[in-house]
Amino acid sequence: SLPLLLLPGIDRLVGWRMRRMSPEARVRALLELCYADPGRVPPNRLAEAANEVRERSRLPWANDSVARALRALVAAYLVRGPRSLWRQAATIAAPTLVIWGTEDKLVDVALAPRTAAAVPDARLLVLPRIGHTAQLEDPETVARAFLGLLAERE
């Protein structure tokens, strides 16, 4: 559904719908989208996130900035030629660990091998029962994998 953000006026409709949701409902919807198991989020973090949403929604540019950021993200995926993300990935010289969750609802896990292959000398770690935010859902596994990557490079 993210490509729909490129349609003129859709950001106003999304903003209107978001404003009708409570901060708690907005946080729950985001967690449902990003986590394989939103139950992993501690209740105190849910309250903190709802307060963050509440504070951010008071800013006059909040909805516009989110819509523009998402629109730019979608547009970046559509760029062709030398400025495409795939071609830019091929220029990465830093040690790279591509981490993907099998339950990612935003970017299909089928893209994981292609992504890792696009980056020279990248390693791929696919985590079962993890969504889009592996570093939040399983921080210990992600940290161990990252430290392992660094240890290999020393």
Side-chain angles (χ1 to χ4, degrees), residues 40-74:
R40 290 181 177 175
V41 180
N44 66 311
R45 184 59 191 122
L46 291 173
E48 291 169 356
N51 284 334
E52 290 172 21
V53 168
R54 212 172 271 108
E55 288 296 316
R56 202 173 312 126
S57 66
R58 291 185 183 125
L59 302 172
W61 59 85
N63 288 333
D64 188 45
S65 64
V66 170
R68 286 177 186 234
L70 289 173
R71 195 176 289 128
L73 180 65
V74 171

Side-chain angles (χ1 to χ4, degrees), residues 92-98 119-123 146 148-154:
I92 296 173
T96 303
L97 177 61
V98 175
V119 179
D121 199 31
R123 292 177 56 194
F146 178 72
L149 176 72
L150 292 180
E152 282 181 11
R153 304 298 176 165
E154 291 179 350

Side-chain angles (χ1 to χ4, degrees), residues 2-145:
L2 284 178
L4 291 175
L5 290 171
L6 296 175
L7 295 174
I10 199 76
D11 52 335
R12 287 187 298 265
L13 178 61
V14 171
W16 174 80
R17 185 169 182 228
M18 296 295 283
R19 284 189 298 276
R20 295 187 63 206
M21 296 172 70
S22 72
E24 292 78 11
R26 289 166 75 173
V27 167
R28 280 192 302 275
L30 185 61
L31 292 176
E32 287 290 331
L33 187 62
C34 292
Y35 277 67
D37 179 8
R40 290 181 177 175
V41 180
N44 66 311
R45 184 59 191 122
L46 291 173
E48 291 169 356
N51 284 334
E52 290 172 21
V53 168
R54 212 172 271 108
E55 288 296 316
R56 202 173 312 126
S57 66
R58 291 185 183 125
L59 302 172
W61 59 85
N63 288 333
D64 188 45
S65 64
V66 170
R68 286 177 186 234
L70 289 173
R71 195 176 289 128
L73 180 65
V74 171
Y77 278 101
L78 301 176
V79 172
R80 301 284 178 243
R83 294 187 62 219
S84 79
L85 294 177
W86 296 110
R87 290 220 183 139
Q88 290 183 42
T91 67
I92 296 173
T96 303
L97 177 61
V98 175
I99 303 173
W100 222 288
T102 59
E103 307 304 312
D104 192 327
K105 296 172 192 159
L106 290 171
V107 186
D108 195 311
V109 68
L111 219 56
R114 179 180 178 195
T115 302
V119 179
D121 199 31
R123 292 177 56 194
L124 174 61
L125 173 62
V126 176
L127 299 174
R129 297 174 307 281
I130 296 294
H132 189 71
T133 53
Q135 73 281 10
L136 299 175
E137 288 185 79
D138 191 354
E140 289 180 19
T141 300
V142 170
R144 277 195 304 272

